[in-house]
């Protein structure tokens, strides 16, 4: 792999500090995949590929966006697959996916670590693809125009602004709760 893309991905993962055992294990596995996958950002990788997602907050940091994923039937953060146009930049992937899935203009939160969180999750087999892993690199983004919130019917059955407590109540797995708690500590440290 002589491309600069995996090197920048490896650098990004090398500087991330995990906060629990699952994230530490996932981070080590992601570092391995970044060094060994021939095309780490391509869906053509049968076992795993990198994705980007984000906790999107309003400018005050009081509300967070969650969407009801159309295929997975769960409340999740905006995010998805890397595109060639992202050039292997996981921040660009997270920003693009957040814009597409919320309709809002977004930027990276200036006080948040980059990335905010990492997670490996299994995507179940469907008729057109085998079970595989999403190697998710997660960011904290701010919606500049929260009133523009709209869902993409191709991706979700709904999208909502929620309070932190409402979002955490809808989070049905520990890694999602971990990421939301990290984001809340950055944007609303007094509320913790």
């Amino acid at each position: 792999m002589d491309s600069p893309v995996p090197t920048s991905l490896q650098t990004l993962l090398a500087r991330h500090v995990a906060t629990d055992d699952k994230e530490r294990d996932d981070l080590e596995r992601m570092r391995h995949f970044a060094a060994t996958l021939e095309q780490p950002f391509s869906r053509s990788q049968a076992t795993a590929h990198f994705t980007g997602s984000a906790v999107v907050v309003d400018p005050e940091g009081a509300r967070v966006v969650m969407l009801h994923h159309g295929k997975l039937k769960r409340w999740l953060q905006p995010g998805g697959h890397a595109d060639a146009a992202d050039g292997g930049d996981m921040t660009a992937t997270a920003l693009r996916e957040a814009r597409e899935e919320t309709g809002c203009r977004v930027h990276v939160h200036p006080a948040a670590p980059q990335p905010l969180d990492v997670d490996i999750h299994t995507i179940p087999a469907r008729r057109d693809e085998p079970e595989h892993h999403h190697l998710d690199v997660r960011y904290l983004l701010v919606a500049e125009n929260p009133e523009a919130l709209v869902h993409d019917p191709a991706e979700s059955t709904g999208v909502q602004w929620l309070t932190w407590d409402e979002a955490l109540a809808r989070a049905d797995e520990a890694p999602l709760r971990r990421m939301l708690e990290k984001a809340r500590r950055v944007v609303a440290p007094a509320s913790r």
Side-chain angles (χ1 to χ4, degrees), residues 77-108:
Q77 75 279 11
H81 294 97
D83 282 353
D86 301 335
D89 180 344
M90 297 312 303
T91 307
T93 298
L95 287 163
R96 178 185 48 74
E97 285 288 336
R99 282 191 305 270
E100 290 174 1
E101 293 188 350
T102 68
C104 298
R105 290 186 312 274
V106 292
H107 64 266
V108 175

Side-chain angles (χ1 to χ4, degrees), residues 107-121:
H107 64 266
V108 175
H109 192 288
Q114 294 184 45
L116 175 70
D117 190 80
V118 298
D119 181 62
I120 297 178
H121 46 272

Side-chain angles (χ1 to χ4, degrees), residues 10-186:
Q10 289 172 0
T11 301
L12 181 76
L13 295 174
R15 72 175 184 233
H16 182 67
V17 178
T19 59
D20 67 20
D21 290 341
K22 166 128 175 38
E23 190 179 17
R24 272 186 283 285
D25 181 54
D26 287 353
L27 181 59
E28 285 308 310
R29 291 173 57 206
M30 290 170 80
R31 288 172 176 163
H32 172 76
F33 278 122
T36 60
L37 285 174
E38 187 175 328
Q39 297 177 314
F41 309 108
S42 173
R43 293 175 81 167
S44 69
Q45 301 294 282
T47 57
H49 48 264
F50 281 85
T51 58
S53 70
V55 175
V56 178
V57 298
D58 67 6
E60 294 77 32
R63 299 178 300 162
V64 60
V65 169
M66 288 189 78
L67 58 89
H68 194 260
H69 196 281
K71 293 177 184 170
L72 299 176
K73 309 289 189 238
R74 299 175 52 218
W75 286 97
L76 298 170
Q77 75 279 11
H81 294 97
D83 282 353
D86 301 335
D89 180 344
M90 297 312 303
T91 307
T93 298
L95 287 163
R96 178 185 48 74
E97 285 288 336
R99 282 191 305 270
E100 290 174 1
E101 293 188 350
T102 68
C104 298
R105 290 186 312 274
V106 292
H107 64 266
V108 175
H109 192 288
Q114 294 184 45
L116 175 70
D117 190 80
V118 298
D119 181 62
I120 297 178
H121 46 272
T122 302
I123 302 300
R126 291 194 294 266
R127 65 182 182 281
D128 57 341
E129 63 185 13
E131 178 180 282
H132 61 283
H133 299 290
H134 279 182
L135 312 171
D136 201 31
V137 181
R138 301 161 154 193
Y139 293 84
L140 176 55
L141 306 181
V142 178
E144 298 166 11
N145 57 337
E147 70 286 351
L149 185 67
V150 63
H151 85 281
D152 175 355
E155 294 290 334
S156 66
T157 58
V159 63
Q160 293 180 340
W161 283 111
L162 303 171
T163 66
W164 288 103
D165 289 341
E166 290 168 338
L168 285 160
R170 290 192 188 178
D172 63 357
E173 63 177 10
L176 179 54
R177 286 189 296 277
R178 177 190 68 221
M179 176 184 63
L180 288 169
E181 289 288 5
K182 284 183 185 182
R184 180 160 66 170
R185 282 192 295 273
V186 171

